[in-house]
Amino acid sequence: MSDVHWLDLVKKAAVQAIKSEKPCDYVIGTVTSTKPLKIKLSDGDGLELGAEFFHLARNVTDYTITLSFAGNEQKMKVHNALKKGNKVIMIRKWGGQDFIVIDRVVS
């Protein structure tokens, strides 16, 4: 077996080993329920997961901000929580089923 052929086999084996461990990757999903939170993955399996699998970034939650204008401060609530039907982009933890929901997909 030539050195080049052997090297190609080693490269292919390494790539397959990494893919089999489901490395950190982005995943698109669709919110199917908000209370309790459920998101259906669009990665081919169509698996629907519950809230225990998700960590939410501030971008997909309601939160309060403080604004200052001419020396006056005012608190305002930003209504940004997920809604049923929203498509979201998530990062999957290496080798696991934990996801960080980072934002909505708009296109």
Side-chain angles (χ1 to χ4, degrees):
M1 180 183 315
S2 73
D3 288 341
V4 173
H5 181 67
W6 181 82
L7 185 59
D8 287 340
L9 289 175
V10 170
K11 286 179 185 177
K12 286 179 185 176
V15 168
Q16 288 175 348
I18 290 171
K19 284 183 177 179
S20 71
E21 290 185 21
K22 296 187 176 179
C24 182
D25 199 2
Y26 80 91
V27 179
I28 304 295
T30 302
V31 177
T32 57
S33 171
T34 57
K35 292 188 182 190
L37 178 62
K38 292 183 182 179
I39 298 176
K40 185 175 183 179
L41 305 182
S42 302
D43 64 355
D45 295 336
L47 186 63
E48 183 178 63
L49 299 175
E52 65 273 13
F53 293 96
F54 302 112
H55 304 279
L56 304 178
R58 187 178 79 160
N59 288 350
V60 295
T61 63
D62 291 341
Y63 58 94
T64 302
I65 59 172
T66 303
L67 299 175
S68 296
F69 182 74
N72 295 319
E73 284 191 358
Q74 186 171 357
K75 293 189 182 275
M76 298 186 80
K77 186 169 186 177
V78 177
H79 299 277
N80 215 22
L82 294 171
K83 294 174 180 64
K84 185 176 178 178
N86 284 157
K87 285 196 173 204
V88 294
I89 186 166
M90 303 174 283
I91 299 173
R92 180 179 52 214
K93 182 179 174 183
W94 179 287
Q97 288 293 324
D98 286 344
F99 297 83
I100 300 171
V101 182
I102 56 174
D103 213 340
R104 289 170 183 78
V105 176
V106 294
S107 63

